[in-house]
């Protein structure tokens, strides 16, 4: 795979590209916002989709458990994560956010409290509030760019708010933290002690940058599996988010049944589109070498952008262990989030900032998240525009 090859994505029904151009009012804008990649999917995935498309009939697809998908998923998790699962305990959904929404509605009641760490992935907030549950924000401690959980505060908030459910992001988006075994065990033990259900969003778990190690919570602390649901998908890993295929795993049969009942109630059975199952099989069975090459490329991109930004501005790039999303502290600018957003667009860049991640400038500083999953030449244009934005906004010294 030539990751240096630029792909033309305008007018391809891409919310990332066409949406950004619509927002900015010009095609001369580079989106480094929404988390999909500007690389083609692996060739085996493309071939599987083309073969399915050439059949010419796009009727209702088989349920994943009627295909080889469960066994293929189990083999992938064993090989990549050293995590052995029973395929019978898998459930399926159109996407991880869709699955989180099902779990929230199936396992909690209106006005129940649900806790998650901030900065957060914005759709956690949307899913919780759309279900009329109460979101409890547990701010991560930022120790010179290293984000950690404040365990005392976490437990106190659970007790004070009678929290029923916790949403863990592993690896964490947007900071790129891969939680250690000790952290995962501590998280699970606190939730277990207070009978809190854990939803673990592990959608970025295959995107671990070289030199780092991920493990699922269920493997780090097997005692918690009866109050845990783990969500995964090939969507981020192989750039197939538009195919809408995700899965979840829980050893709690009651949870699976309640979620299945909720899906039926919402007229949303576990049927993927016609291309999802062939794509995941091709990805997991034939595309591992492509992924290994991708991770090396992403690691080099992250190292390069860090050097460029920190050598030319006072911004600080959070050391990342996973994902293809850089979390950058630009608090030194002393401008509002609105001013920063306007300046970014004026310099031909679309990116996400504080409010997209549940932060305010008064409590969380000022941050920008940049998606660097793109060819290096394209990334160079984006980083040049980003640096120019920061330099234009920087406080002037007399």
């Amino acid at each position: 795979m030539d990751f240096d090859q630029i792909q033309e994505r305008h007018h391809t029904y891409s919310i990332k590209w066409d949406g950004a151009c619509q927002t900015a009012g010009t095609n001369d804008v580079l989106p480094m916002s929404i988390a999909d990649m500007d690389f083609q999917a692996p060739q085996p995935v493309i071939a599987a989709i083309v073969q399915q498309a050439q059949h010419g009939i796009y009727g209702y697809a088989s349920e994943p458990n009627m295909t080889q998908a469960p066994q293929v998923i189990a083999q992938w998790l064993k090989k990549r994560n050293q995590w052995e699962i029973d395929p019978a305990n898998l459930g399926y959904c159109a996407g991880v956010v869709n699955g989180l929404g099902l779990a929230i509605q199936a396992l909690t009641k209106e006005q129940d409290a649900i806790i998650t760490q901030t900065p957060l992935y914005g759709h956690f907030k949307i899913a919780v509030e759309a279900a009329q549950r109460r979101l409890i924000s547990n701010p991560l401690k930022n120790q010179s760019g290293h984000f950690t959980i404040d365990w005392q505060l976490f437990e106190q908030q659970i007790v004070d708010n009678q929290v029923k459910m916790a949403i863990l992001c592993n690896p964490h988006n947007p900071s790129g933290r891969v939680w250690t075994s000790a952290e995962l065990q501590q998280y699970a033990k606190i939730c277990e002690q207070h009978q809190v259900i854990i939803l673990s969003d592990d959608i970025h778990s295959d995107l671990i940058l070289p030199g780092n190690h991920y493990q699922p919570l269920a493997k780090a602390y097997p005692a918690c599996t009866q109050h845990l649901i783990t969500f995964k998908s090939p969507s981020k890993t192989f750039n197939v988010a538009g195919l809408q295929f995700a899965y979840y795993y829980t050893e709690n049969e009651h949870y699976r049944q309640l979620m299945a009942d909720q899906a039926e109630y919402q007229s949303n059975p576990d049927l993927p589109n016609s291309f999802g199952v062939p794509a995941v099989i091709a990805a997991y069975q034939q595309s591992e070498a492509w992924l290994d090459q991708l991770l090396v490329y992403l690691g080099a991109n992250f190292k390069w952008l860090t050097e460029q930004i920190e050598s030319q501005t006072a911004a600080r790039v959070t050391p990342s262990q996973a994902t293809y999303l850089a979390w950058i502290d630009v608090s030194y600018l002393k401008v509002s989030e609105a001013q920063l957003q306007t300046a970014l667009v004026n310099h031909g860049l679309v990116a996400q900032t504080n409010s997209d991640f549940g932060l305010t400038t008064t409590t969380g500083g000022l941050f920008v998240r940049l998606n660097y999953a793109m060819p290096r030449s394209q990334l160079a244009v984006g980083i040049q525009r980003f640096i120019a934005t920061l330099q234009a906004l920087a406080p002037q010294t007399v």
Side-chain angles (χ1 to χ4, degrees), residues 3-6 16-17 30-33 36-39 294 297-298 301 324 349 370-383:
F3 293 107
D4 286 324
Q5 182 178 348
I6 293 178
K16 177 181 175 181
W17 280 81
L30 181 61
M32 300 181 73
S33 49
D36 68 20
M37 298 189 284
D38 292 320
F39 306 125
L294 170 72
Y297 194 91
L298 291 176
N301 266 5
Y324 45 75
L349 200 62
L370 294 182
N371 178 345
Y372 58 87
M374 59 181 64
R376 176 65 64 83
S377 61
Q378 206 166 31
L379 178 63
V381 173
I383 296 304

Side-chain angles (χ1 to χ4, degrees), residues 90-142:
L90 287 165
Y92 305 90
C93 45
V96 166
V97 173
N98 173 272
L100 292 171
L102 283 178
I104 288 168
Q105 295 187 57
L107 304 177
T108 64
K109 299 176 181 178
E110 288 188 9
Q111 297 308 308
D112 276 352
I114 300 176
I115 194 168
T116 194
Q117 281 64 48
T118 50
L120 53 71
Y121 170 53
H123 281 278
F124 291 173
K125 183 176 188 292
I126 293 171
V128 170
E129 294 181 349
Q132 298 182 26
R133 274 60 167 175
R134 292 183 293 122
L135 179 67
I136 308 300
S137 297
N138 173 239
L140 293 174
K141 292 191 295 185
N142 182 359

Side-chain angles (χ1 to χ4, degrees), residues 1-3 37 39-46 80 207 234-240 283 286-298:
M1 172 69 187
D2 182 7
F3 293 107
M37 298 189 284
F39 306 125
Q40 285 191 339
Q43 193 56 44
V45 172
I46 296 173
R80 297 297 292 193
L207 295 167
S235 62
K236 303 294 186 189
T237 311
F238 298 101
N239 212 24
V240 291
Q286 303 175 54
S287 305
E288 186 175 23
W290 178 94
L291 174 58
D292 289 338
Q293 293 170 26
L294 170 72
L295 294 176
V296 172
Y297 194 91
L298 291 176

Side-chain angles (χ1 to χ4, degrees), residues 89-91 102 106-107 229 248 250-265 270:
N89 293 335
L90 287 165
L102 283 178
L107 304 177
I229 308 175
Y248 55 90
T250 180
E251 296 181 9
N252 189 314
E253 184 178 355
H254 185 54
Y255 287 179
R256 286 199 308 278
Q257 187 59 54
L258 288 174
M259 289 181 67
D261 292 346
Q262 184 67 35
E264 290 290 346
Y265 173 75
D270 300 335

Side-chain angles (χ1 to χ4, degrees), residues 40-57:
Q40 285 191 339
Q43 193 56 44
V45 172
I46 296 173
I49 293 171
V50 169
Q51 181 179 359
Q52 184 73 7
Q54 288 176 336
H55 184 256
I57 299 175

Side-chain angles (χ1 to χ4, degrees), residues 177-230:
R177 268 300 316 276
V178 176
W179 305 114
T180 66
S181 293
E183 287 172 317
L184 293 171
Q185 291 167 9
Q186 180 80 345
Y187 194 100
K189 288 175 181 178
I190 290 173
C191 290
E192 183 179 46
Q193 181 179 349
H194 298 286
Q195 298 181 308
V196 175
I197 299 168
I198 302 172
L199 308 183
S200 187
D201 175 355
D202 293 28
I203 195 169
H204 291 280
S205 60
D206 287 322
L207 295 167
I208 307 301
L209 298 179
N212 298 286
H213 176 70
Y214 151 88
Q215 61 179 318
L217 177 56
K219 183 172 180 287
Y221 190 69
C224 75
T225 54
Q226 284 300 309
H227 63 270
L228 168 67
I229 308 175
T230 303

